[in-house]
Amino acid sequence: MILATKPKVKTLKDYSYSAVEKQLKKTYKWEKAVKGDKDAEALHQMRVGMRRLRTTITGFNSIVNFPKSANDKNIKKIAACLGSLRDLDVLKETLVTTYKPQLPKKERANLDKVIDTLEEQRVDAVADVKALLKSERYKSLKTGLQGWLEKPEYFQLANLTIQQSLPDLLLPELSNFLLHPGWLVGTTVEDNKIVVSTNFDEKQIEKQLSTDLAEDLHGLRKQAKRLRYQMELFTSFYGEGYANYLAQVKNIQEILGSIQDSVILDEWLKNVLKSKASKELPTLVNLLKKNRYDLWQQWQSLQQRFLKLETRHEFHLIILHPALK
């Protein structure tokens, strides 16, 4: 006769260890390829892995006694160095794949000269990444976390079960997301109600994106990314409603990221060409403006949805009611 046994109670200790181990493996498996600089996808995956690792460590910081080298400042600087090189790769891919085929012959020749400048900048960025991977900052983070996996240390909160604490892990990130000032970009207040201005033309959108308000949108994108990464750790505890909101958060991150990429590309062109961008690449400049206009319409649809009281309440309620067994 086989006796039924109670399933093992999962604690925060179990989930924090599993999450760190998973993100660490995902991050460092790409290290060799990144050092060789032969695979743009490897750089992308390592950068994403480092970002996810940062979110995981920040999210479990009150539960896990991480080594000193695994602090937010260290991981942020490492991710930023990888990001600088990745941004240049994205710029080149966007210019060559998306925009160059749409340009007239003369502008394509001008764009090739711009891409040559980008390649020169990339040489320096590659050198910075290679130096990073040999640096004490990087080595101490890697050895510190590998040592922690061999001999993990926790705070008392780590003994709480996942049933006791799951919503409380997610709700702080959700609150930071919903209360971010980026939601108010392009809005007015009428009779104590926030109204999204949906009648902006291309010039008005460009004005919004050329002020400090653009930084608010960029900040909201980063907060959406942190919430997304945190939510993805716990998808097995929730149902379809949770998956739908996770997809929307990811969509917000991607749309705002695309707006930011377009703004960065525009600024980079102006920096390289000085005041000649509109003369040497007028078609490209106009295509970028149209791209931002189209992305803005997509963003405003999500903005309106997430400013509704019903949406915000429903999101909270879904987080509050995991399907725990």
Side-chain angles (χ1 to χ4, degrees):
M1 182 176 67
I2 299 175
L3 296 176
T5 59
K6 287 186 178 181
K8 182 181 178 182
V9 174
K10 295 288 187 178
T11 64
L12 290 179
K13 182 187 297 185
D14 300 317
Y15 279 93
S16 59
Y17 186 93
S18 176
V20 173
E21 182 181 42
K22 179 181 177 181
Q23 299 308 332
L24 200 60
K25 284 182 178 179
K26 279 190 173 183
T27 300
Y28 294 127
K29 71 177 285 189
W30 302 103
E31 183 181 317
K32 185 176 180 180
V34 170
K35 285 180 179 177
D37 189 34
K38 294 179 180 179
D39 185 357
E41 182 62 20
L43 173 66
H44 170 61
Q45 292 298 333
M46 188 172 185
R47 180 197 192 188
V48 171
M50 193 62 67
R51 285 176 163 181
R52 287 181 180 272
L53 181 63
R54 183 185 175 199
T55 299
T56 299
I57 287 176
T58 302
F60 289 112
N61 208 32
S62 62
I63 297 160
V64 176
N65 186 15
F66 288 113
K68 290 183 179 179
S69 60
N71 61 70
D72 186 72
K73 183 179 179 181
N74 267 358
I75 301 175
K76 183 179 180 181
K77 286 188 175 182
I78 292 169
C81 184
L82 296 171
S84 295
L85 177 55
R86 173 61 182 169
D87 288 344
L88 291 174
D89 285 346
V90 171
L91 283 180
K92 181 179 178 180
E93 182 181 359
T94 302
L95 287 172
V96 172
T97 305
T98 304
Y99 291 110
K100 187 176 178 178
Q102 302 182 63
L103 302 182
K105 185 176 180 180
K106 183 179 179 180
E107 285 190 50
R108 288 201 297 270
N110 291 336
L111 183 60
D112 286 337
K113 296 175 184 177
V114 169
I115 292 173
D116 288 341
T117 301
L118 189 153
E119 291 286 6
E120 292 171 6
Q121 294 179 356
R122 192 182 184 283
V123 170
D124 293 335
V126 169
D128 289 342
V129 167
K130 289 184 177 182
L132 166 75
L133 298 179
K134 294 178 182 178
S135 69
E136 185 58 35
R137 180 190 302 278
Y138 178 77
K139 288 178 181 177
S140 63
L141 172 65
K142 185 176 179 180
T143 56
L145 286 175
Q146 287 174 336
W148 181 86
L149 287 173
E150 293 171 8
K151 193 177 180 180
E153 295 181 9
Y154 303 92
F155 299 117
Q156 277 192 313
L157 281 175
N159 293 308
L160 289 175
T161 65
I162 200 71
Q163 288 89 339
Q164 291 171 299
S165 48
L166 181 50
D168 296 315
L169 278 174
L170 293 170
L171 285 174
E173 289 292 358
L174 176 58
S175 296
N176 289 335
F177 173 69
L178 293 176
L179 291 176
H180 197 282
W183 289 110
L184 302 183
V185 174
T187 67
T188 57
V189 178
E190 299 175 12
D191 297 326
N192 295 320
K193 292 183 178 180
I194 298 171
V195 179
V196 177
S197 302
T198 57
N199 58 346
F200 281 175
D201 58 24
E202 198 173 87
K203 287 184 179 180
Q204 288 171 304
I205 292 172
E206 289 299 304
K207 185 177 180 181
Q208 292 285 313
L209 296 176
S210 65
T211 66
D212 292 339
L213 296 174
E215 282 301 311
D216 285 337
L217 284 181
H218 183 46
L220 178 58
R221 180 193 69 82
K222 291 191 287 187
Q223 185 55 49
K225 175 189 65 183
R226 286 191 286 268
L227 176 59
R228 171 194 167 189
Y229 290 169
Q230 191 80 340
M231 287 179 70
E232 285 177 343
L233 292 174
F234 303 106
T235 52
S236 61
F237 293 104
Y238 290 93
E240 185 179 346
Y242 184 91
N244 288 338
Y245 271 101
L246 176 55
Q248 291 179 61
V249 170
K250 181 181 178 182
N251 197 20
I252 289 168
Q253 178 199 340
E254 290 177 346
I255 289 172
L256 293 181
S258 295
I259 291 175
Q260 178 70 7
D261 288 346
S262 183
V263 169
I264 289 174
L265 177 51
D266 194 57
E267 291 175 349
W268 184 84
L269 287 171
K270 289 175 182 176
N271 184 53
V272 171
L273 297 172
K274 306 305 179 185
S275 59
K276 299 179 182 179
S278 296
K279 293 181 180 179
E280 296 193 13
L281 294 166
T283 306
L284 176 57
V285 170
N286 287 329
L287 284 171
L288 287 170
K289 287 180 181 179
K290 184 180 184 305
N291 172 249
R292 289 190 289 272
Y293 179 85
D294 293 340
L295 288 167
W296 185 271
Q297 311 312 310
Q298 296 175 50
W299 150 242
Q300 284 203 316
S301 176
L302 289 163
Q303 182 185 26
Q304 289 174 307
R305 185 182 307 164
F306 276 82
L307 284 173
K308 290 181 180 178
L309 188 61
E310 297 84 357
T311 301
R312 298 161 84 87
H313 280 182
E314 184 181 52
F315 203 166
H316 274 98
L317 287 172
I318 286 173
I319 297 292
L320 283 168
H321 295 93
L324 295 171
K325 296 180 181 180

